[in-house]
Structure formats: structure tokens, C-alpha cells
Amino acid sequence: MNIKINRQGSIESFDIPFQSTTLLKALFYIKQQEDNSLTFSSNCRSGVCGTCAVRVNGKEVLACSYNYQEGDLVEPLAYHEVQRDLKVNKQKVRETLKNSKAWLQSSQQAEITQEQVELTQKQTDCILCDSCYSSCPVLELNPNFIGPFALTRAYRYTADPREGNIQSIVDTIQTNGIWDCTLCGNCTEVCPQGIDPKMDITMLRGTSSQFGYNDPNFQAMDFGFGGF
Amino acid sequence: MIDVLIIGSGGAGLASALRAKELGADVLVVGKSYPTASQTSMAQGGINASLGNVTADSISSHITDTIKSAHKLCDNHMVEYICHDAPKTIEWLESLGVPFDRTAQYKVAQRQLGGASSKRACYAQDYTGLKILHTLYDTCLKEGIEILEEYFLLNLITEEKVVLGAIFLDIVTGEVKEIRAKSTIIATGGYAGVYRGFTTNSEGATGDGIASVLRAGGVVSDMEFVQFHPTALKSSATLISESARGEGGYLVNSKGERFIDELLPRDVVARAIASQIANGDEVFLDIRHLGEDKILHLMPQEVHLCRLYENIDPIKELIPIKPVAHYSMGGIDVNRELEVTGLKNCYAVGECSNAKVHGANRLGGNSLLEIISLGRLAGENAYKLNVDYSNRDNQQLQKEQEYIESLFEEYPWERNFYQIQDELGRKFYNDAGVVRDNTKLNNLLNELRVIKADIDNMGIGDKERKNNTNLVEFLQFKNILEVGEVILDSAIVRDESRGAHYKEAFPNQDDKLYRANSLYWIEDGILQNRLVKVV
């Protein structure tokens, strides 16, 4: 089996002398037996720590959860500063969590039903692997876009009955936030946890309307006919 | 000046950071990976608290169960502390927004785990650790707690046994840096990663903090006690949560026979499975009878992992399993204030520590409780200690820089340490695993000492300073050797069977000689040990 790895722009080819297994095992084989300098990130080997996301043939996967195929091209995540080979700077991207204030703003006592827990059960499965962020075409145009995972996380807290100040989150995600999303659904497609950020963003738009916010794109599209 | 330096950004580290910050401390958290990548994310089953939300329960039953499982090696005072603190711990997590599952009466749902006399484990599907950890992380961002990521602990800075902070390798830049603080909390996680390839643990569970305490002249204890989880996937060693058995899953051999009560403590179940495997049989977990709906609701992660790593559908098929190293009970020896024995201004908490709440065997659901409850206690105590020695002169930084420098200059590479690490993992599993034998332990200890003596013939092939993961992995390997030596020596010394430590030649618990904590430390370059009776 042969795989190709994008290392700082140059494509290197490696032969793996065993049948397809996880991509992470192949990367370890290369690092330990062939080339100590191959650099990538990983940790739990079981798809919960979110460390080992890369792109294979242009699509985001967790290296520990993907079985490689002959000729695969492995590349670092997009819209992240590449530190070396497949290792990227996630710290900067984590700033989006601060920008979206994705936490419980003000904790209040609440009776919570199992149905309410299940409403955001998927969203709280997020492992912060950044796959969705890497797949998001909006970042090509607007590097300040908060991005899918931080918005999903913001939604998760707005939907928590313990949240006593939904408005604070809603106010925060208006600029470079929910209205910048094109609802293309790439994020939903690549999420290894089956989360649907596109739907979460749609839900946040609904909540925002309740707080008096409108889609600024609609206003921009008002051609003098009184708008929509 | 930093009041509290916290090394390790898993659940214990973040909980102590939040508590210290809440009290007004200037806090810095430093970790070798991203906070949400820590081992806490892998804890599945639940967190114990005797809330009695589902079945009748009491704090005293929680205490009794924990003490029973500890096989007389715990400190009853510490067990009482965490069991009493457990309901408050859940309340605190609730106030941060942890999405626990609910009962029909809107209360936190609780499930059965092995060795518990009631449904005591609060859970969020089988992602309990993940969801607690991420909520703690969100709260740290909210509170503006500074977290330095990708800083690898090289050594504690000590001056006459007083810890002044620590020295780190900044993985991204390759620089060696020192961070001084009034007090230091070590929360670096366990050492089951020694059993490489035969552990549910992440690659990073290499006992870095424990090794650093040994090097600083501090004391570690009960390192022979490593818990083997009965059910990991056979080919990948990936954990299948105890909740699979708690919800009614069976263990069967290849003849389809059940051979053990699945809800007995982990050590008993692991040995029963190991003995089936030793007799040439295969062992499977069978959850098919629970039905698709229940399986998909309660164990979505397990279904995903089985499909991915074992290529089977657990709704329709048997799950092939084996017991693997899962949790380290031993660790940095601490007193009831969580201060490290033998060092000053230094605390340890979480899996890296031995606060003697688990004794010889940990109950499922008690480790998440420990990291949160004692994590908060560590944050509190470390902040209270307001003695500042951190400006003392110290030449250690230069030494550390020189050492790292030397690894770049020389390139022996006569032996591939990765290969040795893999072989060592297999040998630890076979010779220092579920069932132990003195001859095998002694042989392995000799072999490990030969490897240690040969370390200068190994090294790093990658000479780039920045983002050098080869260097980090080599330093972790060195930690494994130091920690591994203590595991083996203490296992040899303990000629009895107790909890997770089982010797065929000494199948009984011998309270007269061995109802004692085994303490290890380094003095004048030589490993010393002493058994200290539990009172």
C-alpha cells in the first residue's frame, strides 16, 4: 500500500508494508521505522480526544478512525496554521470559542427533562477535532468567521434550561457569526461525531429573530421594493 | 507572580484551576497536549455520588463499597471525604452545565457499575468524562484561566526539596523554559501507558509527573497496583465501558457459556477472563439481548467503536474482548492535604497521585469523582499555602537546556527506542499483568535495567527544533523506564495477592506482612523502598 503525505507543500510517497488498517497506524509506522521527522498529532487512538484530524483526498477524517486506501493523499487541516507536516496550530482556532462565548453565561436552577438533554445530546458529543472548521468554505472569504464548532457549542448552551442569559450568547454571534454561514452543509458531512452544525446555526438564527435580530444579508438584498 | 502552577490540563487540573481561581488565585495551567485531548475524555461509565435518584443509596454505602474494593489499602478518612463530597461535586458540575442524563422526575440519572451496592454512577450516555471535561474547559475560558498548551514537563525546580515551579519544553518552539510559582500542582495523569499496545489509555499516559517527582527526590507509592479493565476490544485494546455489563451484558466463552458474575469487581472479572484466555479459549461480550433501541441509546459510542476497530455490529454479533491495563491506582504519594511526600510547596492530584482513595482496586465511577472532588481540594490547599520561595536562585534551567541540546548533537540511533517501547509494553502485559510471577517479574526488571543503561545508544533521529514530536516521545519513553522500574520492583516485593495485584504462588491476602503502602524514592541515585503499614 502506498500513501502520499503533503509535507510543507511537497508531496512525499510512503510504502506501508501491511494491509489497510487505521491511517494513524500507518503514520506511526512511518515515523517509527522510516522517518522520525514525520510530524503529526494524536493521542487517544479511539476517536474521542479530537487530536488527529487530517484531510484525506480533500476530506476531513480522524486518522485513528479512518482505514487508508491505496494512493490516499494525506494533508493537514485547512484554515489552520501548519506548524509542521500534518501538525497544525489549533490554539488560534480555539479562540473562536471565546469569540462565541460558548459557555453557561449565568447559571439558573431548572428542571430538566431527558427530552431536553437529548435535544443537545449530539452537540455535546463534540470532541473539538476542528474537522468542521477545516471544511468550511466561508473561512476562505472571512477568516474572522466564528465557524461551525463554536456556533454549535453556543447553540448547545442557549438550549440548556440552566442558561439564564440566552441574550448574551445571541448578541455575541451576530457579527462574523450565524449570518455568515452559507448553509452548505460541509461541516455536517465531515463531523466524525454526527453533529449537524448547519442545523444548529439555523436554530440560532431562529432564536436570534426572537431577540429582534434579522438576517443582514436580506437587508442588503433589498432592492428598493420594500424588502422581503 | 503566579500563585498556583498546575501541570496537566485534564479533569483534575482544570477542576483545581477553577477552584483556585474562584478563591482569587493567579493561576496558570500548563499541559503537553490540548486540554480536551486528555485522558478524562475517555472516561465513559459515570461519576459516583450516592444521590439515590434511582435506587436507595447512602453516603455510608458508598464508603463501604469503596473500602471493600480497596482491600484494606485505602485511607478511610480520604474515602469518607470524597464520598461525602460527591453530592456537592455533582451539584457543582450541574451548575456549570454538564449535560447529565435525567430520570423521569427530572433528576440526574444513575446507573449500576461493578462493585456498587446501588445505582450510583451519574452519567451522560457513555461520554461522561468527555462531557465533564469539555464543560470544565468551557468554564475555564469563561473565567479567563490562562492555559499554556503543548508544554512538556521536563523537571520540577527544587531547592532543598522546596518546589519553585517547573521546567518545560515548549514543543512548538523547541525552547526550554522555566515557570516559577508559589505552589505547584501536579495533575499529569496515570502510567498505564507503560503497557503500550495493551492499554485503553492514550499514548500520553506515560507517568511524566510521577517520574519528575522521583527525579526531584519525592516519594511515590503503591505503583504495583494497576487495574486491568476486563473488556477492551481484542484487536485494538479500545475500551468497552463497564456500563455494557452494568446494563445487563454477558461475558461468554467460545462455547457460549457464561463463566463469571459480570458485576463483580474488575480484578476478579479480569482474572476470570485471563484464565479462559490462558486455557486457549476466546472471550466475548454479548449485549445482543439488550435490544437495538437500548443499545443505541445507552451505548452509542461502543457501537461506533465496535464497528470501527473490530468490524462487527454489537447489536447482532458477539464482541471479542481481552483485559488490558486501564488505570493506575498508585502514583505520587500525598498526605491528606494532597501535598507530595518528601517535597514542599508541591501537590499532586488525580490519577498521577496516590491519595489512597482506591487502595488496591478502584471502583468504576470513583476516578471521575476523585479528579473533580480532590482536584478542587488541591486548588484550595495550594492557594492557601501562601509562602513564596519562588525567587530563590536556581541553576536547573541551564542543565535542562544542556541536556536537550545534547540530544540534538548526538545521533547514536543504534537502537530504535520505539521498537523497544513496543516490546516492553507486550512484556509488561505478559509478565507484570493480570497474573504475576516472581521469576518473570525479575527477568523483566533485569531486562528493563539493561535498557535503561543503554539509553545513551538511543536518541532522536529528528533534528528539527520546532514541533519535534520525536523528541517528546523519546522523553516519554525515558519516563516509562523510570516508572516501570518501580512497578516491577514493588510487584516483586509484594508476595501476596490483593486487589489488582495477583500472584499465583501467593494467592492469599497477607495482612500481617503486606497491609502496607509500598513507598519508593531515589536517594543518592539509588532507588529506595519501604513498606509502611496502614493504620
Side-chain angles (χ1 to χ4, degrees):
Chain A
M1 284 273 218
N2 178 278
I3 61 168
K4 296 179 185 67
I5 301 176
N6 184 342
R7 306 183 71 179
Q8 284 81 234
S10 87
I11 309 290
E12 286 184 33
S13 180
F14 294 92
D15 284 319
I16 314 293
F18 37 82
Q19 283 302 302
S20 177
T21 165
T22 65
L23 174 60
L24 184 59
K25 280 193 183 160
L27 296 176
F28 269 119
Y29 167 80
I30 297 166
K31 184 172 187 69
Q32 299 180 357
Q33 305 295 332
E34 304 285 325
D35 182 351
N36 283 177
S37 73
L38 180 70
T39 305
F40 54 91
S41 301
S42 70
N43 200 35
C44 79
R45 304 169 287 114
S46 54
V48 290
C49 79
T51 312
C52 68
V54 292
R55 283 183 303 156
V56 174
N57 307 326
K59 202 180 158 191
E60 289 72 15
V61 297
L62 295 178
C64 73
S65 308
Y66 169 80
N67 289 332
Y68 61 88
Q69 310 291 322
E70 176 70 33
D72 274 349
L73 172 63
V74 187
E75 297 179 282
L77 291 179
Y79 310 121
H80 287 70
E81 173 209 337
V82 178
Q83 293 172 319
R84 204 176 161 197
D85 297 343
L86 302 173
K87 183 173 183 291
V88 295
N89 183 349
K90 287 190 169 182
Q91 220 163 327
K92 282 186 187 159
V93 176
R94 292 276 177 110
E95 291 293 315
T96 60
L97 291 173
K98 291 184 196 162
N99 298 340
S100 66
K101 286 200 190 172
W103 51 70
L104 203 60
Q105 310 290 308
S106 127
S107 187
Q108 65 177 19
Q109 287 289 330
E111 283 194 337
I112 306 172
T113 64
Q114 179 61 19
E115 287 68 36
Q116 285 168 318
V117 174
E118 284 168 17
L119 204 62
T120 53
Q121 184 178 315
K122 273 279 161 204
Q123 287 81 348
T124 53
D125 285 349
C126 175
I127 58 174
L128 290 178
C129 67
D130 292 16
S131 288
C132 57
Y133 192 92
S134 170
S135 78
C136 176
V138 176
L139 285 152
E140 185 77 51
L141 303 165
N142 179 9
N144 296 319
F145 178 46
I146 290 172
F149 70 77
L151 289 172
T152 278
R153 201 167 272 237
Y155 168 67
R156 162 251 190 279
Y157 284 105
T158 64
D160 195 312
R162 287 165 291 196
E163 180 55 83
N165 186 4
I166 294 173
Q167 172 132 27
S168 167
I169 300 177
V170 169
D171 289 347
T172 311
I173 52 170
Q174 299 301 315
T175 310
N176 294 319
I178 49 172
W179 308 108
D180 288 48
C181 170
T182 61
L183 303 182
C184 75
N186 279 3
C187 50
T188 304
E189 200 187 318
V190 299
C191 177
Q193 294 289 77
I195 301 165
D196 187 354
K198 176 186 158 190
M199 179 55 80
D200 300 335
I201 291 167
T202 311
M203 297 295 280
L204 283 172
R205 287 181 177 184
T207 314
S208 297
S209 318
Q210 289 168 21
F211 283 92
Y213 286 105
N214 295 310
D215 186 344
N217 303 314
F218 273 28
Q219 288 161 6
M221 280 188 282
D222 177 357
F223 302 110
F225 300 106
F228 292 85
Chain B
M1 172 54 64
I2 297 158
D3 294 315
V4 185
L5 167 66
I6 295 155
I7 310 171
S9 53
L14 298 187
S16 49
L18 284 167
R19 181 63 183 143
K21 177 85 180 181
E22 191 180 321
L23 295 171
D26 190 344
V27 177
L28 176 66
V29 179
V30 180
K32 69 175 170 180
S33 63
Y34 292 96
T36 51
S38 74
Q39 191 70 47
T40 308
S41 71
M42 299 175 76
Q44 300 176 359
I47 170 166
N48 286 341
S50 57
L51 305 175
N53 288 351
V54 180
T55 52
D57 203 0
S58 66
I59 291 174
S60 64
S61 310
H62 188 186
I63 294 170
T64 307
D65 293 344
T66 303
I67 290 176
K68 190 177 165 202
S69 176
H71 293 266
K72 299 186 182 175
L73 269 204
C74 59
D75 175 354
N76 291 0
H77 170 88
M78 291 307 286
V79 172
E80 282 163 20
Y81 179 87
I82 63 161
C83 295
H84 275 283
D85 196 46
K88 277 179 268 172
T89 301
I90 301 299
E91 204 178 297
W92 181 66
L93 292 173
E94 278 268 272
S95 75
L96 305 183
V98 173
F100 287 116
D101 274 311
R102 300 281 152 174
T103 67
Q105 291 76 38
Y106 317 127
K107 290 178 171 167
V108 173
Q110 297 186 280
R111 63 161 54 126
Q112 183 74 46
L113 292 181
S117 57
S118 179
K119 293 191 173 179
R120 186 176 294 142
C122 309
Y123 61 92
Q125 308 86 55
D126 49 6
Y127 280 122
T128 315
L130 176 89
K131 296 189 181 191
I132 290 176
L133 179 66
H134 280 247
T135 310
L136 290 175
Y137 178 61
D138 294 345
T139 311
C140 284
L141 296 182
K142 176 184 179 180
E143 299 302 332
I145 288 174
E146 196 188 340
I147 303 176
L148 282 180
E149 294 163 347
E150 301 198 78
Y151 267 56
F152 183 83
L153 170 66
L154 293 174
N155 271 307
L156 299 169
I157 308 169
T158 52
E159 198 67 54
E160 290 160 9
K161 299 281 178 89
V162 180
V163 175
L164 313 177
I167 295 171
F168 300 88
L169 170 74
D170 176 344
I171 298 171
V172 174
T173 66
E175 291 166 89
V176 175
K177 298 173 178 170
E178 72 169 8
I179 297 175
R180 300 277 186 116
K182 287 183 190 170
S183 60
T184 301
I185 299 176
I186 305 171
T188 48
Y191 53 86
V194 171
Y195 296 78
R196 192 176 167 91
F198 298 86
T199 174
T200 57
N201 283 200
S202 65
E203 295 148 14
T206 48
D208 305 330
I210 299 167
S212 79
V213 163
L214 275 171
R215 290 191 294 263
V219 179
V220 305
S221 60
D222 299 336
M223 297 287 287
E224 65 274 37
F225 292 100
V226 176
Q227 179 172 80
F228 283 76
H229 197 288
T231 57
L233 293 178
K234 194 179 170 189
S235 53
S236 63
T238 308
L239 172 68
I240 296 299
S241 166
E242 186 162 304
S243 56
R245 282 171 290 132
E247 299 291 351
Y250 298 142
L251 289 169
V252 296
N253 57 25
S254 43
K255 294 184 273 303
E257 299 159 346
R258 287 174 72 187
F259 54 87
I260 182 86
D261 172 358
E262 289 84 358
L263 290 178
L264 287 172
R266 287 180 178 170
D267 59 319
V268 182
V269 179
R271 275 198 296 280
I273 296 171
S275 110
Q276 295 279 327
I277 293 172
N279 291 330
D281 216 329
E282 281 180 288
V283 178
F284 303 91
L285 181 63
D286 188 357
I287 57 170
R288 297 173 297 179
H289 56 284
L290 300 179
E292 183 167 354
D293 287 351
K294 198 169 176 187
I295 294 171
L296 286 177
H297 172 64
L298 292 168
M299 292 167 256
Q301 187 183 177
E302 321 299 10
V303 175
H304 176 66
L305 296 173
C306 286
R307 285 175 180 160
L308 185 63
Y309 297 111
E310 213 66 39
N311 203 19
I312 57 123
D313 182 356
I315 295 163
K316 299 195 189 100
E317 294 168 89
L318 294 170
I319 310 167
I321 53 110
K322 67 180 178 194
V324 300
H326 181 57
Y327 185 86
S328 37
M329 270 78 71
I332 301 164
D333 196 66
V334 292
N335 63 13
R336 288 174 177 176
E337 307 297 313
L338 307 178
E339 290 169 299
V340 176
T341 309
L343 298 175
K344 285 184 185 130
N345 291 30
C346 186
Y347 296 77
V349 70
E351 194 176 346
C352 72
S353 74
N354 180 16
K356 303 176 190 81
V357 289
H358 309 302
N361 197 18
R362 176 184 67 97
L363 279 186
N366 269 356
S367 53
L368 281 178
L369 172 60
E370 180 193 12
I371 61 170
I372 307 300
S373 171
L374 296 189
R376 284 169 60 76
L377 181 66
E380 209 169 295
N381 290 348
Y383 179 53
K384 270 196 294 198
L385 174 108
N386 204 7
V387 215
D388 193 357
Y389 297 111
S390 54
N391 288 325
R392 284 196 192 177
D393 267 0
N394 187 278
Q395 306 307 317
Q396 218 170 309
L397 177 64
Q398 200 186 340
K399 267 195 268 172
E400 302 290 344
Q401 283 168 331
E402 282 165 9
Y403 173 68
I404 296 296
E405 201 59 31
S406 74
L407 290 175
F408 281 97
E409 280 159 13
E410 307 197 0
Y411 179 28
W413 197 241
E414 284 164 21
R415 298 186 70 191
N416 180 346
F417 78 85
Y418 288 114
Q419 220 169 326
I420 297 168
Q421 193 175 349
D422 283 346
E423 284 164 22
L424 209 56
R426 176 180 296 277
K427 283 177 182 162
F428 262 87
Y429 182 65
N430 289 331
D431 300 345
V434 181
V435 178
R436 294 165 174 187
D437 165 86
N438 278 345
T439 313
K440 286 181 177 173
L441 288 167
N442 272 306
N443 288 343
L444 184 53
L445 181 57
N446 288 336
E447 208 171 315
L448 183 137
R449 285 181 171 148
V450 170
I451 295 168
K452 257 183 110 179
D454 205 23
I455 195 84
D456 289 340
N457 289 322
M458 304 171 210
I460 54 171
D462 183 3
K463 298 298 170 185
E464 172 70 40
R465 302 287 162 144
K466 292 179 183 175
N467 297 294
N468 189 327
T469 51
N470 184 214
L471 171 60
V472 172
E473 282 154 6
F474 180 65
L475 296 168
Q476 289 181 157
F477 172 64
K478 286 186 68 186
N479 286 337
I480 276 179
L481 294 179
E482 291 180 37
V483 167
E485 186 175 5
V486 182
I487 299 174
L488 293 173
D489 199 85
S490 55
I492 292 165
V493 169
R494 190 175 286 279
D495 274 338
E496 64 156 355
S497 292
R498 183 186 298 269
H501 172 77
Y502 184 83
K503 279 184 181 171
E504 232 158 22
F506 303 92
N508 298 318
Q509 189 169 307
D510 182 350
D511 282 344
K512 220 172 181 180
L513 285 173
Y514 296 109
R515 190 186 172 198
N517 299 111
S518 48
L519 269 52
Y520 278 78
W521 68 97
I522 294 171
E523 214 170 283
D524 301 326
I526 295 163
L527 194 62
Q528 310 280 344
N529 74 312
R530 186 155 54 98
L531 284 171
V532 175
K533 296 247 171 187
V534 175
V535 279

